[in-house]
Amino acid sequence: MIKRIQAWLSRKDRQEQPVEISPDNIPRHVAVIMDGNGRWAKRRGLPRIVGHQNGMKAVKRTTIAANDLGVEFLTMYAFSTENWKRPKEEVDFLMRLPVEFLALELDELIEKNVQVRVMGDTDALPAHTRKAMEEAVERTKHNTGLILNFALNYGSRKEIEDCMRGLGRDIQAGLLSPEDITSELIDNRLMTSGLPDPDLLIRTSGEMRLSNFMLWQVAYSEFWFTDAYWPEFDKTHLLQAVAEYQRRTRRYGGLK
């Protein structure tokens, strides 16, 4: 017990220290696995949906903080292909969250020159969710600032499977030969086509796994994990993650 208290105090002291960020080494693309909404609510004796509502506020905080920091691309893992297994009431609520979020925040995102994108199997989303996302994409398509990319009904294995099937069909049709398949070609066939690979991957809530998120794209990303639940995530956490990113040397398999 004493060791746990000492560890907690040590972590608290570190968090309260000023975070120094170099403007010359800001990660271009930050990807976030937003985890812990339900556990945040449970610890407070609240329904899980309250955790999701507060998680929506963290999306806004993080987007603004990333934009102010100079991040160019921010990908948020909003709903996975596996999340359909959750209780229907919770899934229905999660499908209403993008509608609520964009109704409240889209005008401010437009003011801040943020461009909204979405990747995933959007055809399987409820009509109201799909309509809200399509409107956000359309209204922000000419913005030139931060690209806020929502991974919605997204699963990396399915993404890769779909890519491989497409390449297989092209080979069968004589449009490609196996020798034509390169990493660059695969990059262009994935849902993240046109985006750089994430420089920094953040996951909240203390879990340390990828959960079927951007398995191809994070091959050389730097990972940063925090015990904070997603509804607690704020600018300080983002600065800590970027500061840690800047302390690391990215070798890409080579020597530096």
Side-chain angles (χ1 to χ4, degrees), residues 21-162:
I21 299 294
S22 168
D24 299 325
N25 188 21
I26 301 298
R28 291 187 68 205
H29 187 175
V30 176
V32 185
I33 300 176
M34 305 179 289
D35 193 21
N37 290 345
R39 277 166 286 165
W40 178 89
K42 183 178 180 181
R43 294 188 92 180
R44 288 159 177 75
L46 300 170
R48 288 176 59 86
I49 61 172
V50 177
H52 295 311
Q53 287 173 326
N54 280 272
M56 186 174 67
K57 297 175 183 177
V59 171
K60 179 181 178 180
R61 286 196 304 268
T62 305
T63 300
I64 292 173
N67 191 43
D68 291 344
L69 197 58
V71 173
E72 298 177 41
F73 307 89
L74 180 64
T75 296
M76 300 285 215
Y77 200 10
F79 190 88
S80 77
T81 50
E82 289 75 33
N83 287 156
W84 296 106
K85 300 173 186 176
R86 295 186 178 188
K88 183 178 183 303
E89 180 179 326
E90 182 175 353
V91 170
D92 289 345
F93 182 82
L94 289 170
M95 289 295 107
R96 290 195 300 272
L97 273 183
V99 181
E100 182 179 344
F101 174 78
L102 292 169
L104 292 171
E105 312 297 350
L106 184 56
D107 287 343
E108 185 173 350
L109 293 177
I110 292 172
E111 284 180 17
K112 292 186 177 295
N113 199 28
V114 171
Q115 182 184 134
V116 176
R117 295 189 189 180
V118 60
M119 68 178 189
D121 182 7
T122 56
D123 290 341
L125 297 174
H128 59 276
T129 309
R130 189 168 60 251
K131 181 181 177 182
M133 296 306 304
E134 289 172 352
E135 180 184 349
V137 170
E138 177 64 25
R139 289 182 61 191
T140 63
K141 66 181 181 181
H142 296 301
N143 290 353
T144 58
L146 170 75
I147 290 177
L148 175 58
N149 181 39
F150 288 104
L152 192 59
N153 195 25
Y154 170 84
S156 186
R157 285 186 172 184
K158 184 178 186 304
E159 174 189 32
I160 294 170
E161 288 169 5
D162 290 345

Side-chain angles (χ1 to χ4, degrees), residues 142-194:
H142 296 301
N143 290 353
T144 58
L146 170 75
I147 290 177
L148 175 58
N149 181 39
F150 288 104
L152 192 59
N153 195 25
Y154 170 84
S156 186
R157 285 186 172 184
K158 184 178 186 304
E159 174 189 32
I160 294 170
E161 288 169 5
D162 290 345
C163 173
M164 294 302 105
R165 274 193 290 269
L167 292 172
R169 284 192 293 267
D170 284 351
I171 291 173
Q172 191 174 44
L175 301 174
L176 284 176
S177 69
E179 290 71 25
D180 294 327
I181 298 176
T182 62
S183 293
E184 291 74 21
L185 179 61
I186 294 172
D187 284 340
N188 291 330
R189 295 292 187 98
L190 295 176
M191 293 178 181
T192 48
S193 176

Side-chain angles (χ1 to χ4, degrees), residues 156 183 187 190 196-201 210 213-223 250-253:
S156 186
S183 293
D187 284 340
L190 295 176
D197 289 340
D199 300 293
L200 174 64
L201 172 73
L210 290 176
F213 182 55
M214 300 181 81
L215 302 178
W216 173 274
Q217 296 90 336
V218 299
Y220 284 102
S221 302
E222 296 296 327
F223 292 2
R250 304 182 73 190
R251 299 183 179 85
Y252 300 96

